[in-house]
Amino acid sequence: MIPTTTSPRPAVLESQTRIRFDHCDPFGHLNNSAFLNYFQNEREDQVEAAYGLDIHAFFRKTGRAWVVGQNQIVYLKPALVREFVTIQTSIRQVTDSSMLVEHIMLDEKKEKLKAILWTKFVYIDVRKSERASHEPELMALFDDVVVKEETPALFEDRVAQLRGQMKAVTQKA
C-alpha cells in the first residue's frame, strides 16, 4: 500500500507552480480562497512524488481518507497572476487519527513569504462515517517524515517565527 524505502524521505516537500489568471481577482492577485486549492493540490502531488502515496488509490483500497477539520491561514504578500511560486509543505504534528500539515507559499526565489496555512486533517473511515486510527504503515511513514524540530503550539507564534527567519535570511543577503 505504501512503498517502503531505505533512503531517507524528506520531511519538507517543495514544488513550484504558476498562478493562473482564472484564479485571480480583478487586481491580478490570487483570490483568498484559491490559496487553499493551490496548497492542497501541491501537497497531494508532493506526497505522491516523494512518498509514493496516491491518496485516491489508498481511499479506493481502504475506504479511509483525510478530511479537513480546521484551517488557519495568514496572507502576507499577494501572489500575482502568472507568477511562479514555491510551495513547501510538512507534517508538524501527528496523532493516531489526525495530523497538522503546514503549507508555506514563497516567491520563486524563496525570498518573500506570501502565505502560511496550517491544516488539521482528521482521518476517517468513509464507509462508517467515523474517525479512524492510522494504520501501522501510515504511522511508520509519519514517524519517518514528521518535522522533528519543535513547532510552536499557536499558529500566530509560528507565523512570527517564520517571518523572523525570513527577515534574518534577507538581511544576510
Side-chain angles (χ1 to χ4, degrees):
M1 190 160 39
I2 299 169
T4 56
T5 180
T6 56
S7 62
R9 298 176 186 179
V12 177
L13 305 180
E14 182 176 297
S15 55
Q16 290 191 333
T17 191
R18 184 188 295 266
I19 302 301
R20 299 297 173 184
F21 172 79
D22 61 329
H23 302 149
C24 294
D25 63 22
F27 302 107
H29 300 161
L30 183 61
N31 183 288
N32 290 350
S33 63
F35 275 84
L36 299 174
N37 291 330
Y38 275 79
F39 281 135
Q40 293 206 348
N41 289 334
E42 288 301 307
R43 175 70 181 170
E44 179 183 335
D45 292 345
Q46 292 169 349
V47 165
E48 186 171 5
Y51 309 144
L53 178 58
D54 176 340
I55 62 171
H56 301 286
F58 182 83
F59 169 71
R60 287 190 300 276
K61 183 173 182 168
T62 66
R64 294 179 173 200
W66 293 269
V67 296
V68 174
Q70 181 182 37
N71 280 323
Q72 291 179 275
I73 190 166
V74 62
Y75 306 97
L76 302 169
K77 296 212 181 305
L80 304 172
V81 67
R82 307 256 322 131
E83 176 183 15
F84 278 103
V85 294
T86 302
I87 295 179
Q88 297 174 342
T89 69
S90 58
I91 299 173
R92 307 303 293 197
Q93 298 169 0
V94 176
T95 71
D96 68 329
S97 63
S98 69
M99 72 175 109
L100 177 66
V101 176
E102 179 175 84
H103 308 75
I104 299 171
M105 184 182 288
L106 304 140
D107 67 318
E108 183 177 13
K109 295 179 181 178
K110 298 189 272 188
E111 296 171 346
K112 295 178 185 155
L113 195 54
K114 294 183 173 285
I116 304 163
L117 167 68
W118 270 9
T119 300
K120 181 179 180 183
F121 289 100
V122 179
Y123 193 55
I124 63 165
D125 186 318
V126 177
R127 296 168 295 202
K128 296 178 183 176
S129 293
E130 63 185 33
R131 199 174 196 128
S133 293
H134 290 121
E135 289 78 4
E137 59 267 24
L138 284 174
M139 289 305 290
L141 171 64
F142 299 154
D143 287 343
D144 194 26
V145 301
V146 68
V147 171
K148 305 299 187 226
E149 72 186 37
E150 188 173 332
T151 299
L154 296 176
F155 178 69
E156 294 79 7
D157 292 341
R158 178 62 175 154
V159 171
Q161 181 183 50
L162 288 168
R163 291 181 90 171
Q165 289 172 356
M166 289 300 296
K167 188 174 184 178
V169 167
T170 55
Q171 287 177 345
K172 285 182 183 177

